[in-house]
């Protein structure tokens, strides 16, 4: 993974199994890039749905995209807590300035009280039939779902509040440095 991405602004695109665009997120800053993952931070970013509907996220968020795992997550910074939204999805890839992945619908939400909520099981079953997911893909997706539940219940990375706060702090520091640099360039 090219570490030159750190400090850059990048987009995110989510696709469905048939490769149709599902959803896009406007820019977020890369705060870490390794061979295993890329971590980005956004704050009230624009989201565009496949039907053209546009909306903005309500809070700052740290997102972790893995290159070899079948999930990604968004740690949403609410007023007094972090809520984790985990997408069961294909391993992510980077295409120029964009993170891309296929969304497989099975989602999990980890609440501050450590309650795990399963989401979109009916949507998964609908798309499994619609797109004729193979038996192997079905196994991989369900295994990733179970793996994420274990990571969540044990508070292991990436479902780690302290780690997510550090990434957000890194973002604010990097963003401040970029803004100060721009201000100094304007003065010159």
């Amino acid at each position: 993974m090219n570490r030159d991405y750190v400090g850059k602004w990048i987009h995110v695109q989510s696709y469905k199994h048939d490769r149709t665009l599902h959803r896009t997120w406007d820019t977020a800053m890369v705060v870490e890039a390794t061979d295993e993952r890329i971590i980005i931070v956004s704050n009230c970013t624009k989201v565009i749905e496949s039907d053209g509907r546009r909306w903005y996220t309500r809070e700052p968020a740290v997102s972790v995209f893995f290159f070899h795992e079948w999930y990604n997550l968004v740690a949403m910074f609410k007023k007094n807590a972090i809520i984790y939204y985990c997408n069961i999805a294909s391993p992510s890839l980077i295409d120029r300035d964009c993170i891309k992945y296929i969304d497989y619908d099975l989602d999990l939400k980890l609440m501050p009280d450590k309650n795990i909520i399963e989401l979109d099981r009916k949507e998964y079953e609908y798309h499994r039939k619609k797109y004729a997911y193979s038996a192997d893909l079905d196994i991989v997706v369900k295994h990733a779902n179970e793996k994420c539940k274990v990571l969540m219940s044990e508070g292991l990375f990436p479902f780690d509040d302290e780690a997510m706060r550090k990434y957000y702090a890194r973002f604010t520091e990097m963003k401040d440095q970029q803004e100060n640099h721009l201000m100094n360039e304007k003065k010159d």
Side-chain angles (χ1 to χ4, degrees), residues 127-172:
H127 285 132
R128 185 176 64 84
K129 292 174 186 164
K130 177 179 178 179
Y131 299 126
Y133 296 170
S134 70
D136 288 343
L137 178 60
D138 187 53
I139 290 168
V140 167
V141 167
K142 289 177 179 171
H143 173 75
N145 191 28
E146 292 304 313
K147 179 179 182 176
C148 288
K149 287 180 194 174
V150 170
L151 294 172
M152 287 176 160
S153 66
E154 296 181 9
L156 297 174
F157 188 85
F159 306 99
D160 175 347
D161 289 0
E162 185 178 329
M164 294 304 116
R165 285 188 189 97
K166 285 180 183 175
Y167 288 121
Y168 187 73
R170 186 180 302 168
F171 163 73
T172 57

Side-chain angles (χ1 to χ4, degrees), residues 119-130:
L119 304 167
D120 305 328
R121 176 129 340 241
K122 288 181 182 177
E123 186 178 356
Y124 173 76
E125 291 301 327
Y126 171 77
H127 285 132
R128 185 176 64 84
K129 292 174 186 164
K130 177 179 178 179

Side-chain angles (χ1 to χ4, degrees), residues 10-172:
I10 197 163
H11 303 273
V12 178
Q13 292 179 340
S14 167
Y15 293 83
K16 286 299 182 189
H17 187 74
D18 67 350
R19 306 293 196 255
T20 57
L21 188 62
H22 173 55
R23 182 176 292 136
T24 63
W25 289 261
D26 208 358
T27 57
M29 182 188 282
V30 177
V31 296
E32 181 178 283
T34 70
D35 291 338
E36 290 81 35
R37 64 184 176 242
I38 187 166
I39 300 176
I40 62 174
V41 180
S42 62
N43 193 357
C44 303
T45 193
K46 181 171 60 174
V47 179
I48 304 172
E49 302 287 344
S50 60
D51 63 6
R53 189 170 47 96
R54 297 165 187 260
W55 53 279
Y56 287 85
T57 59
R58 296 181 182 177
E59 62 274 316
V62 174
S63 299
V64 182
F65 297 91
F66 294 95
F67 302 124
H68 308 290
E69 299 287 348
W70 282 76
Y71 62 92
N72 60 60
L73 77 103
V74 179
M76 300 172 287
F77 285 73
K78 301 292 186 178
K79 193 171 191 173
N80 296 315
I82 299 174
I83 295 175
Y84 294 89
Y85 195 95
C86 181
N87 295 297
I88 304 304
S90 69
S92 300
L93 61 87
I94 297 182
D95 182 15
R96 286 169 257 160
D97 66 343
C98 191
I99 300 168
K100 297 180 178 182
Y101 67 91
I102 298 171
D103 183 336
Y104 283 106
D105 305 313
L106 283 181
D107 298 326
L108 298 167
K109 193 183 258 190
L110 178 62
M111 304 306 288
D113 65 1
K114 303 307 176 199
N115 185 34
I116 299 171
I117 301 168
E118 285 195 64
L119 304 167
D120 305 328
R121 176 129 340 241
K122 288 181 182 177
E123 186 178 356
Y124 173 76
E125 291 301 327
Y126 171 77
H127 285 132
R128 185 176 64 84
K129 292 174 186 164
K130 177 179 178 179
Y131 299 126
Y133 296 170
S134 70
D136 288 343
L137 178 60
D138 187 53
I139 290 168
V140 167
V141 167
K142 289 177 179 171
H143 173 75
N145 191 28
E146 292 304 313
K147 179 179 182 176
C148 288
K149 287 180 194 174
V150 170
L151 294 172
M152 287 176 160
S153 66
E154 296 181 9
L156 297 174
F157 188 85
F159 306 99
D160 175 347
D161 289 0
E162 185 178 329
M164 294 304 116
R165 285 188 189 97
K166 285 180 183 175
Y167 288 121
Y168 187 73
R170 186 180 302 168
F171 163 73
T172 57

